[in-house]
């Protein structure tokens, strides 16, 4: 298990855990980040990532990406 910031670009990963406070987990869940869901890193710029999740492209900051474990 590793944070999303360490995932390779273009590789499909499965979300195994989402950390952080309840509000943070709920916010990420509303964006489509759910345990067992697939996520693909499209671009990684200084830890900030653009990902494909549930047929959508989402940009998240380094701090949020570090709370998503794949």
């Amino acid at each position: 298990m590793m944070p999303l910031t360490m995932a390779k670009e273009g590789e499909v990963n499965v979300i195994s855990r989402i950390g952080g406070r309840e509000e943070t987990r709920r916010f990420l869940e509303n964006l489509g980040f759910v345990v067992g869901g697939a996520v693909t890193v499209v671009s990684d710029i200084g830890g900030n990532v653009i990902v494909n999740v549930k047929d959508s492209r989402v940009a998240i900051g380094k701090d949020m990406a570090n709370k998503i474990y794949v």
Side-chain angles (χ1 to χ4, degrees), residues 3 7 10 12-13 23 31-32 42 47 51 53 61 64 68:
V12 178
N13 296 285
E23 308 91 62
L31 288 176
V42 176
V51 296
V53 61
M64 286 285 186
I68 301 169

Side-chain angles (χ1 to χ4, degrees), residues 19-49:
R21 298 192 331 232
E22 182 61 34
E23 308 91 62
T24 305
R25 290 195 305 266
R26 199 173 312 120
F27 173 75
L28 290 169
E29 186 177 303
N30 288 334
L31 288 176
F33 296 94
V34 292
V35 174
V39 62
T40 306
V41 176
V42 176
S43 174
D44 181 0
I45 303 164
N48 300 318
V49 293

